[in-house]
């Protein structure tokens, strides 16, 4: 009798991080805070949030046109909410991008950490290739995941992505305030033929309110991201 060992079948894995959330409700924020408290070594998340008010002051010292006192107060409130579980964010239904964007990034990174922690080494060995993609805000999360090769480096790059998310939010908030077309909006779509891509581009370029960013992800997948100014 002979025995045969069955080799695991390799498969490709795509980690896709989505765009900016349109809103954040109270239940979602509490779930996020609970997730931070429940993960191993979760203190690094709170440490990053604790740095955001100081980072904001440093940034607006060099670029005073972006300083808004309410933004600084909101960041300080965010720090308190992660330190004190009984405190909830005020005006959570209408968060500024300087608060919303880093919350979206940390939520995505926590979801990745959950998958990473609960995926067995045997299953990971079947991942023949891993491709990390990000749409809009998700690009920041994708960069952190792609750059981190172990837990320490992942936390380091994740912290950078959260800081960048806050700064991006600050700039978007200022542009929205100074603009005449209302708040920024974004969307993403894809197509599978050159003809469809050209048609969609023509439609979008016909709008004077839209600035177009066109990128090629692969021969069979195109992405279009637009933001209105």
């Amino acid at each position: 009798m002979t025995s045969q060992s069955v080799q695991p079948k390799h498969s490709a894995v795509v980690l896709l991080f989505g765009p900016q959330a349109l809103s954040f409700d109270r239940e979602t924020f509490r779930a996020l805070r609970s997730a931070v408290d429940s993960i191993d070594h979760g203190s690094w998340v709170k440490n990053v949030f604790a740095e955001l008010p100081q980072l904001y002051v440093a940034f607006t010292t060099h670029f005073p046109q972006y300083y808004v006192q309410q933004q600084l107060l909101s960041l300080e409130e965010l720090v308190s909410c992660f330190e004190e579980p009984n405190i909830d964010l005020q005006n959570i239904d209408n968060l500024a991008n300087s608060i919303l964007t880093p919350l979206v990034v940390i939520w995505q990174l926590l979801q990745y950490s959950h998958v990473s922690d609960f995926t067995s080494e045997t299953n990971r060995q079947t991942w023949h290739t891993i491709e990390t993609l990000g749409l809009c805000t998700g690009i920041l999360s994708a960069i952190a995941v792609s750059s981190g090769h172990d837990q320490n480096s992942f936390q380091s790059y994740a912290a950078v992505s959260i800081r960048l998310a806050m700064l991006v939010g600050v700039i978007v908030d200022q542009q929205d305030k100074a603009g005449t077309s209302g708040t920024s909006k974004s969307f993403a779509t894809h197509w599978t033929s050159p003809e469809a891509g050209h048609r969609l581009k023509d439609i979008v370029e016909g709008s004077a309110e839209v600035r177009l960013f066109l990128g090629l992800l692969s021969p069979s997948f195109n992405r279009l991201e637009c933001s209105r100014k």
Side-chain angles (χ1 to χ4, degrees):
M1 180 180 292
T2 60
S3 61
Q4 294 180 343
S5 61
V6 178
Q7 298 296 325
K9 183 178 180 179
H10 294 288
S11 60
V13 173
V14 177
L15 303 176
L16 177 62
F17 298 91
Q20 173 87 327
L22 299 179
S23 64
F24 225 72
D25 58 33
R26 200 168 304 279
E27 288 71 25
T28 304
F29 177 75
R30 290 174 178 172
L32 172 60
R33 184 167 55 191
S34 177
V36 171
D37 291 334
S38 65
I39 64 172
D40 293 335
H41 313 293
S43 59
W44 70 270
V45 179
K46 296 181 180 180
N47 292 338
V48 175
F49 276 126
E51 297 173 354
L52 295 185
Q54 296 177 346
L55 176 61
Y56 181 85
V57 171
F59 176 75
T60 54
T61 298
H62 291 283
F63 302 97
Q65 67 270 28
Y66 292 106
Y67 178 79
V68 177
Q69 186 178 16
Q70 184 57 49
Q71 279 189 327
L72 178 58
L73 294 175
S74 296
L75 288 168
E76 292 173 343
E77 180 192 9
L78 179 65
V79 175
S80 299
C81 289
F82 276 93
E83 292 177 346
E84 300 292 338
N86 295 325
I87 301 178
D88 281 329
L89 280 174
Q90 301 297 317
N91 300 320
I92 197 167
D93 296 327
N94 189 29
L95 293 177
N97 289 288
S98 55
I99 303 295
L100 180 60
T101 308
L103 287 177
V104 171
V105 170
I106 190 56
W107 187 242
Q108 292 179 341
L109 294 175
L110 287 175
Q111 289 177 326
Y112 167 75
S113 296
H114 179 81
V115 173
S116 178
D117 288 342
F118 288 93
T119 301
S120 67
E121 185 62 30
T122 301
N123 287 337
R124 291 187 200 187
Q125 290 175 357
T126 67
W127 295 2
H128 181 60
T129 58
I130 300 177
E131 187 174 8
T132 308
L133 304 174
L135 300 174
C136 188
T137 299
I139 293 175
L140 295 173
S141 301
I143 291 173
V145 171
S146 297
S147 302
H149 59 274
D150 56 28
Q151 186 67 22
N152 290 333
S153 62
F154 166 70
Q155 291 180 5
S156 178
Y157 285 112
V160 173
S161 292
I162 296 169
R163 297 185 192 107
L164 287 174
M166 188 273 287
L167 294 176
V168 169
V170 168
I171 294 173
V172 172
D173 287 336
Q174 195 276 341
Q175 290 178 338
D176 285 348
K177 183 179 180 181
T180 59
S181 299
T183 58
S184 296
K185 296 183 182 298
S186 66
F187 68 87
T189 186
H190 74 278
W191 54 92
T192 56
S193 70
E195 293 77 13
H198 292 316
R199 175 58 180 156
L200 180 59
K201 182 178 178 180
D202 291 340
I203 293 173
V204 173
E205 287 183 336
S207 172
E209 296 183 341
V210 175
R211 187 175 62 192
L212 180 65
F213 298 93
L214 180 61
L216 180 67
L217 294 183
S218 74
S220 60
F221 184 89
N222 290 302
R223 181 189 68 192
L224 179 67
E225 293 183 5
C226 303
S227 63
R228 189 186 72 182
K229 298 300 180 186

